[in-house]
Amino acid sequence: MLSEVLLVSAPGKVILHGEHAVVHGKVALAVALNLRTFLLLRPQSNGKVCLNLPNIGIKQVWDVGSLQLLDTSFPEQGDVPAPTLEQLEKLKKMADLPRDCVGNESLSLVAFLYLYLAICRKQRTLPSLDIVVWSELPPGAGLGSSAAYSVCLAAALLTACEEVSNPLKDKGSVGRWTEEDLKSINKWAYEGERVIHGNPSGVDNAVSTWGGALRYQQGKMSSLKRLPALQILLTNTKVPRSTKALVAGVRSRLVKFPEIVAPLLTSIDAISLECERVLGEMVAAPVPEQYLILEELMDMNQHHLNALGVGHASLDQLCQVTAAHGLHSKLTGAGGGGCGITLLKPGLERAKVEATKQALTSCGFDCWETSIGASGVSMHSTASVEDPVRQALGL
Ligand code: MEV
């Protein structure tokens, strides 16, 4: 067990195309976002495990002794054991949650307990730790905040337990793990995501682990090697929703109307492939017409997502407001509220962007311009992070 303080960060994500369809084996194109989650892990010797999540006002302390007792029910089950229903019940009790608890925030505690117990189970005694997780990402908005949380936890715990090596070299300010270690971090993060979301496709944790831009299909991913410099406007409608419930809703619509819904998923798949093709072309030989295609693809996908039942009046409003300014938008992530993305073509007049942002803000939405393709999970020296992060983590 390492005795040093670890500071890890992982990015959120935006899905360009393929949300929901990816759960049914279709292609998704996802990109890492310049908004990150940070985790500070301090080894302790006070016999306690403390998890502090200041964004959501949760702080829990457990005795290592009582967790050790619970640990006996986590036998060696292969490399990355998926939590059983019985284990989840025990963890919910330990986290002090009701049996029927489904809120992501409370399930974050359960995901932590599961990753802590399952990853640290090979240590002779469970370690005493103090962990603070703070995020720039709004929770439950479709930007992969829970995946970034699970990735940070997996990376920090695996490193602390020396299951993967600490990538921070002497005097370096930031380090990245080897490909093999990233695969291990991603596998554990996926199990954390499963605790929170039930049966996720795995795209969110993959983008948060590797960063950049990914094409993802059924657990297989490939990085889009070169990405045109796309600028997007990200808008948070602030309408809360549950990814788990929305994914379940699409599944039941597919079961109820297979002949109607399956072609929609196939069409979304084709949209993702066409977008990938155009993005590739834009790098090789950029012409303005390519942006028109990207806009058309966004419009079509937004209609499909509405037909799948994951739209929301707030997202319709977002699309109408941006359309009134000549811009094209779609929801991103699970939908049902949450966030939307708007493509900002190069050369767009500044006044138009500002007017759009103003109109969206006056609907009560939060919006910000961002570029895409941030780096994946990283280890930082504690001296290297900026003041707001230091303050939030109590550094
Ligand atoms: C959530 O960010 C994306 C969904 O496709 C769910 C998933 O892939 O697990 C809605």
Side-chain angles (χ1 to χ4, degrees):
M1 179 81 198
L2 291 183
S3 55
E4 56 230 63
V5 173
L6 302 177
L7 175 55
V8 172
S9 79
K13 65 92 196 27
V14 154
I15 296 187
L16 295 180
H17 289 291
E19 48 273 273
H20 290 288
V22 67
V23 177
H24 303 275
K26 309 299 186 199
V27 171
L29 293 183
V31 292
L33 201 55
N34 254 338
L35 295 171
R36 303 183 79 83
T37 293
F38 293 85
L39 182 152
L40 183 73
L41 179 152
R42 286 191 184 97
Q44 301 288 312
S45 51
N46 58 1
K48 308 262 183 228
V49 174
C50 175
L51 177 68
N52 186 1
L53 309 176
N55 295 84
I56 52 175
I58 289 183
K59 185 168 179 176
Q60 281 260 18
V61 183
W62 297 274
D63 281 325
V64 169
S66 52
L67 294 173
Q68 194 85 45
L69 286 178
L70 199 68
D71 185 40
T72 54
S73 61
F74 277 80
E76 306 276 330
Q77 298 167 354
D79 258 4
V80 180
T84 64
L85 280 178
E86 197 194 338
Q87 285 167 343
L88 286 179
E89 288 311 324
K90 285 189 186 164
L91 296 180
K92 277 187 189 173
K93 228 171 170 180
M94 189 50 107
D96 214 9
L97 306 178
R99 281 173 71 97
D100 55 355
C101 158
V102 288
N104 282 5
E105 282 140 17
S106 339
L107 287 175
S108 304
L109 294 181
V110 183
F112 165 72
L113 285 175
Y114 160 68
L115 288 174
Y116 168 80
L117 290 168
I119 291 175
C120 302
R121 75 192 194 283
K122 290 188 193 148
Q123 305 291 305
R124 219 161 354 110
T125 50
L126 286 173
S128 180
L129 301 173
D130 197 345
I131 292 182
V132 190
V133 189
W134 175 79
S135 189
E136 295 167 339
L137 292 157
L143 301 181
S145 62
S146 68
Y149 170 77
S150 294
V151 170
C152 280
L153 279 177
L157 292 169
L158 286 166
T159 308
C161 292
E162 298 178 87
E163 297 282 325
V164 299
S165 46
N166 187 341
L168 204 59
K169 303 283 176 294
D170 282 348
K171 299 204 177 81
S173 59
V174 63
R176 297 263 301 138
W177 287 264
T178 61
E179 187 59 23
E180 200 181 324
D181 286 350
L182 289 175
K183 279 187 189 154
S184 172
I185 291 168
N186 184 53
K187 269 195 212 158
W188 282 105
Y190 178 66
E191 295 306 333
E193 270 283 86
R194 292 219 315 192
V195 173
I196 300 173
H197 286 309
N199 204 11
S201 65
V203 63
D204 291 11
N205 47 282
V207 185
S208 188
T209 301
W210 276 279
L214 286 187
R215 170 202 219 268
Y216 183 93
Q217 186 173 28
Q218 288 185 313
K220 294 203 183 70
M221 55 213 120
S222 53
S223 287
L224 273 57
K225 291 283 170 279
R226 293 175 64 206
L227 194 68
L230 283 187
Q231 280 293 118
I232 56 171
L233 190 61
L234 191 58
T235 303
N236 185 1
T237 65
K238 298 197 252 175
V239 174
R241 78 293 179 283
S242 148
T243 300
K244 202 175 189 169
L246 288 152
V247 168
V250 173
R251 194 177 295 283
S252 50
R253 203 169 261 203
L254 177 61
V255 169
K256 195 167 169 194
F257 305 112
E259 310 238 313
I260 301 170
V261 176
L264 288 174
L265 300 177
T266 306
S267 176
I268 292 176
D269 193 52
I271 290 175
S272 297
L273 295 177
E274 176 66 1
C275 179
E276 186 186 8
R277 188 191 68 74
V278 175
L279 290 177
E281 249 183 40
M282 284 168 89
V283 176
V287 286
E289 289 69 33
Q290 288 151 345
Y291 283 95
L292 300 180
I293 302 180
L294 291 186
E295 289 178 341
E296 233 176 315
L297 294 176
M298 284 178 97
D299 291 343
M300 287 191 283
N301 199 357
Q302 176 61 17
H303 288 299
H304 286 349
L305 287 161
N306 270 322
L308 290 179
V310 298
H312 187 270
S314 61
L315 292 164
D316 292 342
Q317 192 180 14
L318 187 165
C319 291
Q320 280 154 15
V321 167
T322 56
H325 292 82
L327 303 177
H328 299 251
S329 309
K330 68 174 273 290
L331 67 84
T332 184
C339 282
I341 49 174
T342 306
L343 191 64
L344 299 178
K345 285 186 278 202
L348 206 61
E349 311 90 88
R350 198 62 233 156
K352 186 180 260 188
V353 178
E354 290 304 329
T356 310
K357 281 166 74 176
Q358 180 62 50
L360 289 166
T361 310
S362 59
C363 297
F365 304 155
D366 281 345
C367 61
W368 56 101
E369 282 168 72
T370 181
S371 57
I372 53 178
S375 52
V377 63
S378 307
M379 180 75 79
H380 305 264
S381 75
T382 48
S384 68
V385 287
E386 289 171 7
D387 274 352
V389 179
R390 302 178 66 77
Q391 268 166 21
L393 295 173
L395 265 169

